[in-house]
Amino acid sequence: MCRSIKTLRPPYADDVTDEDVRAAALQYVRKISGFRSPASHNAEAFERAVAEIAQSTAALLETLEVRGGRAR
């Protein structure tokens, strides 16, 4: 769906930062909303979605197991 979102789990990525997770969440929200930058009346919903997706992404990466070892 979003080709510019990179894989954030080992072995594809090491030392994933909060900024990496937020950037992926931002790309996802931009793709599904169709807005690169939302109008002021949509900014709060847009930013809330980015924060929620980033939080869910971080939780996913923390709990994934890759070949018997923790992903992060």
Side-chain angles (χ1 to χ4, degrees):
M1 175 182 198
C2 298
R3 292 183 212 184
S4 61
I5 297 175
K6 64 182 181 179
T7 302
L8 298 179
R9 69 163 180 85
Y12 304 103
D14 293 320
D15 301 321
V16 175
T17 66
D18 290 342
E19 291 80 26
D20 294 328
V21 172
R22 187 180 188 292
L26 179 59
Q27 287 299 317
Y28 177 78
V29 171
R30 284 176 172 169
K31 181 72 170 187
I32 63 167
S33 71
F35 297 118
R36 174 155 174 71
S37 180
S40 60
H41 62 276
N42 288 325
E44 184 179 335
F46 191 90
E47 287 302 318
R48 185 174 48 248
V50 171
E52 290 172 358
I53 292 166
Q55 182 178 2
S56 293
T57 299
L60 172 66
L61 292 173
E62 286 294 325
T63 58
L64 286 178
E65 291 187 22
V66 180
R67 295 190 180 219
R70 282 254 192 239
R72 276 179 87 177

